[in-house]
Amino acid sequence: MQTTPRRWLATIAVAAAVFGCVGTPGPGGDQPRSSALPAPPDPADNPTTPAKAALGKKLFFDPRLSGDGSMACQGCHYRHLGWTDGLALSRKVGGGMNTRHTPSVYNTGYYTSWYWDGRARTLEGQVTAAWKAQIGADPARAAAVIAAVPAYQAEFQAVFGAAPNADNTAQALAAFLRTLNSGESPWDRYTAGDRTAVSADAVAGYELFVGKAGCAGCHKPPLFSDAQFHNVGLEAGKANPDPGRFAVTKDVKDLSAFKTPSLRSVAISGPYFHDGSVGSLDAAVRYMASGGKADPNKSGLLVDRKLADREIAQLLAFLDTLTSHERFDPPKLP
């Protein structure tokens, strides 16, 4: 049974309260992290193991998975860009363009639906869909290419007891993605007890974030997302507005609603929003703080917060402290 967003958020909150600083493996199992986020849940049919995640890590960086051998999954998700690509809209294998901004894959294991509109119900399903659409692969054929590499063949046999195929390749990739959990940000160290980790402006920014600015209404700590879908007015006035969540649910209240992105490492993962339309974090914060553009379906949580420039600067100081600095070493491919 899939965990509902409310139960999932409650699980995070309880774990944070009980454990505080949770020493769980960082991305790819590289090191422990100092974070209030517990380890993400595993599906019963694809439990994460160090060996499986290590295999998925290699596959994530291997362009041989793509249709023409030119692009790895990592081609849209770079560690130094907060696991995004730094582009408003990214290009697919074959030259096609995406219509939405590449979301970060940080902390993706905590969600219960994937993509900006939530159309994927499992992380494994999202991996397979992106494998086909983004990097232009026939998964069965791509798995056969991987199977022809002796080192991969041996590793798949050790992890799955089977040769590479479309299903277990997606499972390995998903297992790796579940290890990309943010940690070792200055704010994590501050909440774990290091009062020297952030500035006074950042602390003031957090108070605004959970108070006057209203940011925590959707960006709930410690993930800094509510995993829900909201219309923030960005599609208003467009000739062909993106229907967002409505395309999945057919419910009019979901018109142009998109999943709340986590703000973990937001300072390095611009441009911003589902359409990549805002280039700077300062401009993104000002847009949200102003209440956004008029739209009949806009979330009631978006109102003009009447923030002064000094308060905007403090919010930005806080958001900057959410940038993770955990170690990550790219894999060596066979």
Side-chain angles (χ1 to χ4, degrees), residues 25 28 31 47 80 89 111 142 170 181 204 211 213 296 299:
Q31 65 173 18
H80 69 286
L89 304 172
Y111 295 117
N181 304 321
S299 169

Side-chain angles (χ1 to χ4, degrees), residues 46-74:
N46 189 29
T48 302
T49 66
K52 190 186 295 181
L55 172 58
K57 184 177 182 179
K58 293 174 186 173
L59 294 168
F60 189 82
F61 280 77
D62 198 328
R64 286 173 287 189
L65 276 187
S66 67
D68 62 4
S70 68
M71 183 180 182
C73 303
Q74 186 263 341

